[in-house]
Amino acid sequence: MKTTAQKKRQPRGEVTREKLVDAAYGEFCGRGYHGTSMRQIAARAGVAVGGIYNHFAGKEEVFAAVLDQYHPYHVLVPALGEAQGESLEEFVRHAAKLLEGALAEQGRSIMPIMFIELLEFQGQHLKDLAERIFPIFLTFLQGFAARSQTMRELPLPTVQRAFTSLMVGYFFTGYVLRDSPLVAAGPADQLPGVVDIFLHGILN
Amino acid sequence: MKTTAQKKRQPRGEVTREKLVDAAYGEFCGRGYHGTSMRQIAARAGVAVGGIYNHFAGKEEVFAAVLDQYHPYHVLVPALGEAQGESLEEFVRHAAKLLEGALAEQGRSIMPIMFIELLEFQGQHLKDLAERIFPIFLTFLQGFAARSQTMRELPLPTVQRAFTSLMVGYFFTGYVLRDSPLVAAGPADQLPGVVDIFLHGILN
DNA sequence: CCTACCGATCGGTAGG
DNA sequence: CCTACCGATCGGTAGG
């Protein structure tokens, strides 16, 4: 949300564009890309159908704008880039904490857009994402390697795959079962315990 | 695939129904539920549009049939139910191996249907799934508990969440990056190594 | 009377 | 930014 001051400074057209992106995001989350009509987006934004085309060339460009705003890149890069710590243990715990903080705020809103990407666009844009975050991910993994003197003798790719799988799986299962009683019964935040198991698994 | 003998025994209508479910599955995977038209399904199955309605009351009933055939239940229940082993270590490795075998065969074909479920149907049917596999999952977790004498003192829910996250994340990342060069560069099957890290993390 | 299916078309709505 | 409207296509059904 923008402050009133920021809103006043924006040109009228920009406000409408923002409304359209927000409205489109909401509609896409409910029924996907193909299940959402331009009329539904227009109605939610309080704009006529034709008015959308003053800001976007077509439906796909609306999705591109939504994807740009709800892109995992904006969450993953700061979290992975700012991880610090003397020991490997501190480093991993800090990274997990940063990821959790960022994903608690924005992770749930990003997830549906990723599903649209994977399902309706065959993950085209995600291939780009993989290449864009690869340098940051490499830097992060160098942090692993630089602190590996306390680590068991393990193939680094395996350690990386295990850490990635654990984090992705933790947030994915949390999202899917977000209001299931089966998960709600357990402790709210099991991430520290889960990370502890991982650390015990790779350290001497 | 059915054998010729089985095909001959099937009534004509059943053959057409099977063709329709297979065709619908293929089309749904490409563009999702709302992005697929009855005409596309009919065309791929080599059937007239109206012919679909001799087998299904409508489009949603077609999806229900697809979901039923490509349901994770059919994969997860046997794999989790048949896990055996004297020690916790053997038990976990066996379960992971069974899951990998089942998911290597059918996991990739199930994934897109799950995305449709999560995105376009708000995960309605997945809630049912969670409740249906819960007993089997409990039995599996009792296998954990029964062999826990070699385990560190850890809260069982945390161990469960870690194992679930690790397996879900491993197969999910494998699916998403299935033809990415970043993953293809590493060893093909890292599951044993990943499971080894988990075991080292929970055992004394 | 059943089944499985056809060519053609129904009332409405899609993106533009 | 809106109203009005297009070519086409949507899910579903008519009679035969």
Side-chain angles (χ1 to χ4, degrees), chain B residues 13 16 39 47-48 54-55:
Chain B
T16 304
R39 278 162 181 77
V47 163
N54 294 316
H55 300 272

Side-chain angles (χ1 to χ4, degrees), chain B residues 54-70:
Chain B
N54 294 316
H55 300 272
F56 305 98
K59 195 184 182 183
E60 220 172 309
E61 207 171 272
V62 176
F63 178 72
V66 172
L67 183 67
D68 189 65
Q69 185 163 323
Y70 293 87

Side-chain angles (χ1 to χ4, degrees), chain B residues 180-195:
Chain B
S180 162
L182 310 181
V183 163
D189 185 8
Q190 295 197 318
L191 189 60
V194 166
V195 170

Side-chain angles (χ1 to χ4, degrees), chain A residues 142-164:
Chain A
Q142 282 166 4
F144 256 80
R147 296 167 179 84
S148 64
Q149 67 279 2
T150 56
M151 202 170 80
R152 296 164 54 206
E153 270 206 32
L154 290 166
L156 208 55
T158 303
V159 176
Q160 295 160 5
R161 181 71 188 269
F163 181 75
T164 308

Side-chain angles (χ1 to χ4, degrees), chain A residues 29-60:
Chain A
C29 287
R31 283 169 307 278
Y33 176 79
H34 287 106
T36 298
S37 71
M38 295 295 262
R39 278 164 178 77
Q40 288 168 333
I41 297 170
R44 196 198 262 233
V47 163
V49 202
I52 301 179
Y53 296 89
N54 295 314
H55 299 273
F56 305 98
K59 196 183 182 185
E60 222 173 308

Side-chain angles (χ1 to χ4, degrees), chain B residues 1-16 18:
Chain B
M1 283 301 241
K2 303 280 179 180
T3 68
T4 312
Q6 283 177 314
K7 262 186 186 167
K8 274 182 185 168
R9 244 181 270 124
Q10 285 182 323
R12 264 187 72 81
E14 284 304 305
V15 176
T16 304
E18 253 179 48

Side-chain angles (χ1 to χ4, degrees), chain B:
Chain B
M1 283 301 241
K2 303 280 179 180
T3 68
T4 312
Q6 283 177 314
K7 262 186 186 167
K8 274 182 185 168
R9 244 181 270 124
Q10 285 182 323
R12 264 187 72 81
E14 284 304 305
V15 176
T16 304
R17 198 196 133 99
E18 253 179 48
K19 276 186 192 167
L20 283 166
V21 172
D22 290 351
Y25 168 77
E27 296 294 317
F28 286 152
C29 286
R31 284 169 308 278
Y33 175 79
H34 287 104
T36 298
S37 71
M38 296 295 263
R39 278 162 181 77
Q40 289 167 332
I41 296 169
R44 195 198 263 234
V47 163
V49 202
I52 301 179
Y53 296 90
N54 294 316
H55 300 272
F56 305 98
K59 195 184 182 183
E60 220 172 309
E61 207 171 272
V62 176
F63 178 72
V66 172
L67 183 67
D68 189 65
Q69 185 163 323
Y70 293 87
H71 204 287
Y73 189 82
H74 305 313
V75 170
L76 295 178
V77 167
L80 291 178
E82 288 168 21
Q84 290 177 351
E86 285 280 320
S87 65
L88 182 56
E89 190 171 345
E90 277 176 23
F91 180 69
V92 169
R93 284 197 209 281
H94 190 216
K97 197 180 167 187
L98 287 171
L99 278 172
E100 186 175 36
L103 288 168
E105 277 178 49
Q106 304 174 54
R108 283 188 184 186
S109 51
I110 286 174
M111 211 73 85
I113 301 300
M114 288 300 97
F115 292 151
I116 294 178
E117 233 318 276
L118 283 166
L119 180 65
E120 300 185 80
F121 291 95
Q122 307 287 323
Q124 301 168 219
H125 310 93
L126 278 180
K127 302 283 158 68
D128 301 342
L129 170 66
E131 284 166 29
R132 282 165 68 191
I133 65 162
F134 192 60
I136 302 286
F137 196 58
L138 269 187
T139 306
F140 174 69
L141 293 175
Q142 281 165 5
F144 256 78
R147 296 166 180 84
S148 64
Q149 68 279 3
T150 57
M151 203 170 81
R152 296 165 54 209
E153 270 206 33
L154 290 166
L156 208 55
T158 304
V159 176
Q160 295 161 4
R161 181 72 188 266
F163 181 75
T164 308
S165 298
L166 196 65
M167 298 304 287
V168 169
Y170 181 83
F171 292 111
F172 183 79
T173 54
Y175 175 81
V176 171
L177 305 172
R178 62 194 176 282
D179 37 31
S180 162
L182 310 181
V183 163
D189 185 8
Q190 295 197 318
L191 189 60
V194 166
V195 170
D196 177 76
I197 289 175
F198 170 75
L199 282 169
H200 199 274
I202 64 166
L203 296 178
N204 283 313

